[in-house]
Amino acid sequence: VEGADKVFVVEGILDALVLEQSGIPAIATLSSGHNPETCFKVGVQYVLALDNDNAGRKAIRKFKSYLNEKDIKFTVALPIKGKDWNDLLISGDLSEDKQANTLELCNWRGNLAMAGNALDYYKIHCKKYPYSPAVFEFGNQTYKGTFKHEDGKEREAYKAVRLLDCILNIAFSIEDASLEFESRISHIVNAESTREGINTIRFKGGDFAAINDFKSKLLQYRLLYFGTGYDLTLLAEYLFKKKPIKVRECQALGYDAVSDCYVFTKFLYDKKGKHYTIDQDGYFHKYQLKPFSGQDKSINKIGDVQVGSFISDLYQAYGEKGLLALGFWVATTFSHVVFDEFGFFPFMSFHGDPHCGKSDLTTLLNRCFYIDSEGLPMSSGNTKKGELRVMSQKSSMVTAMLEGRKDKVRFDYDSILPLYNRNSLQVRAQTTNDNQVYDMKFSGALAFIQNIEQFVSKPAKERVISIKFSHEKLDDTYAAWQNLKTYSIEQLAGVGHFILTNREYFEKNINQKINTNADFLRAEGVGVDRVAKNHAVAYAGASLLMEIAKPNITDDLLKFTIDSAMGKIETARSELVLADHFMECIADFSEKDGVFRDDHRLIVDMPRAFQMIGGNWNKSELLSELKMLDSFQEQKTSRVFDKPKKCWHFKNEKPRLQSYKHLHAA
């Protein structure tokens, strides 16, 4: 810089080299051991070209004081906010044909930074943007500048009015696109105030349209808005011109179908199983995703664990029961893959004697999948809407329902029937005058933890994998229970981490594993296809995990699964004996006997069918049971017989493998 009339003063050596490469003499001061007395000399004009951020502006004020004291000439030039001189070099803005215009803009920004008050700031602002009005920031406050020319009153033409006693910046906008053709936006705003520091505030989109709502939201943080409704629109325009990033907020914890990622409170797994931690701004930049924020019991740290050793310890404490339960939690993690293939996903039930480890096992398994909670207590204090929302807050994850009794809660246990096929939890009208509805989705699985099973109807029972706990041999497992308790919450979360980092393996193999095991269960005598497939789902989850974790155990999980499935068939059938017997009696009936059937329908003229069967029936009990059959559809008038009659309509299903007589003989 020897002999130069004008020298740029920058922060780092790289900035100095960049400007030197562009033909601009420069020195770096903040990254060197020099002090101002050795950097500056009288007779040279300096350009303070530090970074356009808080640290850079603070350094400029420090240099300004020194340079004025020494009577050294200087100006200020700042690159655009968020960029440095190297960025301008790469973008070509320092090339020979663009350099003059770039430096002019940098000088203009520097003059803004040197303004002594808000009015002077606005006057400088108008040299580049002469249009009025304008929203701008000065001294950690927000102003509106206006210009109205009046002859002979040029000085009074410029006005600057304070709008906010703080500065607002939209960190990011959150889009809720759960409704088709309707986007709802909220904004995460950082409010910086000299008095109150930095606060992060969530504004709804409508808050920028209602001045009272906007004022009220700020007042909760002891911040003030002084403008009008029109000023609020100008402020919103000013904030949006900064082009804040738009992110999508997940509607549940767990699997997100849109991104094909598993999204939790503090981390994410992509479609390859790669693990990402959340960015400092509170969302995942790469996927522009914000995690679901309604789950406050999430585990946010992952510890190291030997998954094979954990499975061995689980087996020592709970035997095959523990392995099959773990398999259900694992399979649920990939339930979206299972559902796409089979169109259903089963439920789990832990039942039996109290103090046998049901609750401990549930808490353990939940922690393996990042939830530090036993589950949802099914108490009379719950509201129906609250319970439904808890169920909808997890995707491809288990929601555990604890200790519900039919006479003490209003939860209808037979209401799980449509959830087996992932129908909606609730459909309700929107508060609009059109025909729109809100559909509360269900994309997880349920586990019922109770001393006495509450399922009554056969269709409900067949949809549940039941594991019974008893006091037998508890003394042999107590030490193993205590060993499981030595695992920290973070180590248990490491089990889920192991599974999700291997998600490609599970997603590739789980459906084939279910089909293979379901065929084997049917061959071993599990005659109800639904029961065989349900149990094959849980078994597939456990066996796939053990294939890659390689625990040091010799289990008999397959035999336990067959026994569990056979027991389910017996307990499920016994509830609807009359209905089963009636359907078997009419299996060979034709239209003249009051029964019509084709490939899809079974239509019964009940008076005619009763007449052909003969005998004494408890008709009211039978008709009640027939309504609980999974194949039952509706009662309506049909024309398939000689004249229109009110008939019972069923889906045409294959006859059961085990007859009513054989069941009762057994």
Side-chain angles (χ1 to χ4, degrees):
V1 297
E2 290 295 329
D5 295 328
K6 183 184 290 187
V7 176
F8 276 59
V9 180
V10 295
E11 292 190 17
I13 294 173
L14 177 62
D15 292 321
L17 293 173
V18 163
L19 291 176
E20 184 76 19
Q21 181 178 330
S22 304
I24 302 171
I27 57 174
T29 60
L30 297 186
S31 63
S32 69
H34 297 289
N35 59 55
E37 293 183 2
T38 62
C39 289
F40 301 107
K41 55 187 177 182
V42 178
V44 177
Q45 181 175 341
Y46 291 94
V47 180
L48 302 182
L50 308 182
D51 291 347
N52 192 358
D53 54 21
N54 289 336
R57 287 189 289 272
K58 183 178 178 181
I60 287 172
R61 290 193 293 270
K62 178 181 176 182
F63 281 132
K64 174 184 175 181
S65 175
Y66 173 81
L67 295 173
N68 284 335
E69 179 186 338
K70 299 297 182 180
D71 199 26
I72 297 175
K73 296 179 181 180
F74 71 95
T75 59
V76 178
L78 298 178
I80 192 171
K81 212 168 189 177
K83 292 189 177 182
D84 58 21
W85 295 103
N86 189 49
D87 295 323
L88 296 179
L89 175 68
I90 293 172
S91 64
D93 291 310
L94 293 179
S95 61
E96 187 175 349
D97 57 330
K98 293 183 179 180
Q99 188 179 113
N101 183 61
T102 298
L103 294 180
E104 182 182 345
L105 288 175
C106 292
N107 287 328
W108 172 76
R109 294 188 200 98
N111 291 334
L112 287 175
M114 296 298 290
N117 55 56
L119 184 59
D120 289 345
Y121 185 100
Y122 177 59
K123 289 179 181 179
I124 298 169
H125 180 275
C126 287
K127 290 181 179 180
K128 184 173 186 328
Y129 299 105
Y131 303 105
S132 178
V135 175
F136 63 92
E137 301 164 1
F138 183 83
N140 254 16
Q141 301 194 72
T142 305
Y143 293 83
K144 180 184 76 170
T146 57
F147 176 81
K148 184 178 181 182
H149 180 75
E150 297 181 27
D151 292 339
K153 297 183 179 180
E154 185 69 23
R155 178 179 291 275
E156 289 78 18
Y158 293 94
K159 291 185 179 180
V161 180
R162 187 168 61 151
L163 295 183
L164 290 157
D165 64 347
C166 61
I167 292 174
L168 301 182
N169 280 296
I170 299 176
F172 56 93
S173 298
I174 301 171
E175 181 181 21
D176 175 8
S178 57
L179 297 176
E180 190 175 11
F181 308 123
E182 182 176 347
S183 175
R184 291 176 291 189
I185 294 285
S186 58
H187 310 284
I188 304 300
V189 176
N190 291 326
E192 184 176 350
S193 162
T194 302
R195 184 184 65 250
E196 303 298 334
I198 298 177
N199 287 284
T200 301
I201 310 171
R202 183 166 182 157
F203 286 91
K204 296 177 182 177
D207 289 337
F208 285 97
I211 185 171
N212 289 333
D213 291 344
F214 186 76
K215 280 185 172 182
S216 176
K217 185 66 70 74
L218 285 175
L219 280 169
Q220 294 178 39
Y221 295 85
R222 303 204 309 178
L223 302 172
L224 298 171
Y225 174 73
F226 306 101
T228 64
Y230 174 65
D231 296 337
L232 185 56
T233 302
L234 290 177
L235 176 63
E237 181 185 31
Y238 169 73
L239 295 175
F240 296 156
K241 277 184 177 179
K242 296 181 181 181
K243 298 181 179 179
I245 191 169
K246 186 190 295 183
V247 304
R248 180 174 58 84
E249 185 170 31
C250 295
Q251 299 299 302
L253 204 68
Y255 181 71
D256 176 61
V258 177
S259 63
D260 194 19
C261 295
Y262 289 87
V263 187
F264 301 94
T265 306
K266 296 295 182 182
F267 43 81
L268 168 153
Y269 297 88
D270 70 8
K271 61 183 180 181
K272 297 290 187 181
K274 186 177 179 181
H275 177 264
Y276 294 86
T277 54
I278 198 165
D279 295 292
Q280 189 174 358
D281 295 327
Y283 65 95
F284 300 97
H285 283 219
K286 180 176 180 179
Y287 292 93
Q288 295 188 10
L289 264 180
K290 184 180 183 302
F292 175 67
S293 56
Q295 176 56 251
D296 60 353
K297 297 177 180 178
S298 297
I299 299 172
N300 299 322
K301 293 182 179 180
I302 298 171
D304 293 328
V305 65
Q306 293 294 326
V307 178
S309 298
F310 167 77
I311 296 172
S312 299
D313 291 338
L314 179 70
Y315 178 71
Q316 292 299 318
Y318 288 96
E320 284 81 10
K321 295 192 293 289
L323 297 182
L324 193 62
L326 174 61
F328 179 78
W329 258 254
V330 173
T332 300
T333 307
F334 307 100
S335 59
H336 54 282
V337 179
V338 176
F339 184 80
D340 286 345
E341 170 85 10
F342 299 102
F344 74 90
F345 197 82
F347 308 104
M348 174 62 76
S349 171
F350 297 168
H351 67 99
D353 299 334
H355 310 298
C356 288
K358 300 188 297 296
S359 298
D360 284 344
L361 179 58
T362 306
T363 302
L364 185 82
L365 295 175
N366 282 339
R367 287 175 174 172
C368 287
F369 295 91
Y370 315 121
I371 299 297
D372 188 16
S373 167
E374 183 184 345
L376 174 65
M378 300 298 294
S379 68
S380 56
N382 298 345
T383 66
K384 180 177 181 180
K385 184 178 290 187
E387 289 177 350
L388 294 178
R389 287 191 176 182
V390 169
M391 293 182 218
S392 70
Q393 287 176 355
K394 297 189 186 72
S395 175
S396 289
M397 296 181 70
V398 176
T399 299
M401 318 284 277
L402 311 177
E403 294 296 352
R405 295 294 300 274
K406 277 185 171 294
D407 55 344
K408 293 184 179 179
V409 294
R410 27 116 296 279
F411 182 78
D412 180 6
Y413 280 84
D414 289 337
S415 68
I416 67 170
L417 298 182
L419 301 184
Y420 181 80
N421 302 106
R422 290 199 166 168
N423 292 306
S424 300
L425 284 161
Q426 184 186 61
V427 178
R428 56 181 172 81
Q430 289 193 43
T431 55
T432 58
N433 293 325
D434 54 20
N435 204 28
Q436 297 296 316
V437 297
Y438 175 75
D439 190 6
M440 187 181 291
K441 302 292 186 183
F442 177 72
S443 55
L446 300 179
F448 298 90
I449 318 303
Q450 51 207 328
N451 294 336
I452 302 172
E453 279 198 314
Q454 303 297 314
F455 309 105
V456 174
S457 70
K458 177 177 65 65
K461 284 192 167 190
E462 285 186 348
R463 286 161 167 78
V464 180
I465 304 166
S466 296
I467 298 179
K468 186 174 182 179
F469 290 72
S470 69
H471 286 299
E472 297 178 10
K473 299 182 179 179
L474 284 187
D475 291 340
D476 297 334
T477 61
Y478 181 77
W481 283 1
Q482 293 300 109
N483 189 40
L484 279 179
K485 291 181 181 295
T486 64
Y487 285 88
S488 68
I489 292 174
E490 292 77 13
Q491 284 180 305
L492 293 174
V495 177
H497 177 76
F498 175 82
I499 292 165
L500 286 172
T501 53
N502 288 283
R503 62 174 290 191
E504 289 184 298
Y505 172 79
F506 286 94
E507 291 170 339
K508 179 182 178 181
N509 294 295
I510 191 165
N511 286 338
Q512 181 182 353
K513 198 80 167 178
I514 291 170
N515 275 320
T516 301
N517 290 312
D519 289 343
F520 182 81
L521 290 174
R522 284 189 292 265
E524 292 295 309
V526 182
V528 179
D529 183 67
R530 176 182 294 129
V531 174
K533 284 183 176 176
N534 289 345
H535 285 73
V537 166
Y539 180 81
S543 60
L544 286 174
L545 177 59
M546 288 191 289
E547 283 176 12
I548 58 175
K550 303 186 185 308
N552 186 23
I553 59 175
T554 304
D555 69 281
D556 204 356
L557 181 57
L558 186 56
K559 180 180 183 304
F560 178 84
T561 305
I562 295 171
D563 292 343
S564 176
M566 293 299 292
K568 173 59 65 175
I569 292 175
E570 298 302 318
T571 56
R573 283 180 176 171
S574 62
E575 294 295 340
L576 301 174
V577 233
L578 285 176
D580 282 343
H581 183 38
F582 177 83
M583 298 302 283
E584 184 175 284
C585 288
I586 66 171
D588 298 323
F589 280 17
S590 61
E591 291 177 42
K592 65 181 179 60
D593 305 313
V595 176
F596 170 86
R597 62 172 54 82
D598 57 22
D599 289 340
H600 304 289
R601 298 177 299 167
L602 176 66
I603 302 174
V604 181
D605 173 11
M606 283 297 176
R608 180 63 177 163
F610 279 133
Q611 181 182 352
M612 296 305 297
I613 294 174
N616 296 319
W617 292 83
N618 184 334
K619 293 183 180 179
S620 62
E621 185 176 347
L622 170 62
L623 297 179
S624 177
E625 286 191 8
L626 286 172
K627 290 180 180 179
M628 290 189 287
L629 284 175
D630 190 37
S631 59
F632 173 72
Q633 292 180 318
E634 59 185 330
Q635 291 175 264
K636 66 176 183 180
T637 301
S638 176
R639 298 177 180 273
V640 299
F641 298 106
D642 52 350
K643 58 182 180 179
K645 293 181 179 179
K646 189 171 184 179
C647 299
W648 287 59
H649 291 245
F650 302 86
K651 288 183 290 188
N652 191 11
E653 293 186 331
K654 296 178 181 179
R656 300 200 174 274
L657 298 181
Q658 187 175 4
S659 70
Y660 169 84
K661 292 180 180 179
H662 290 161
L663 174 65
H664 282 271

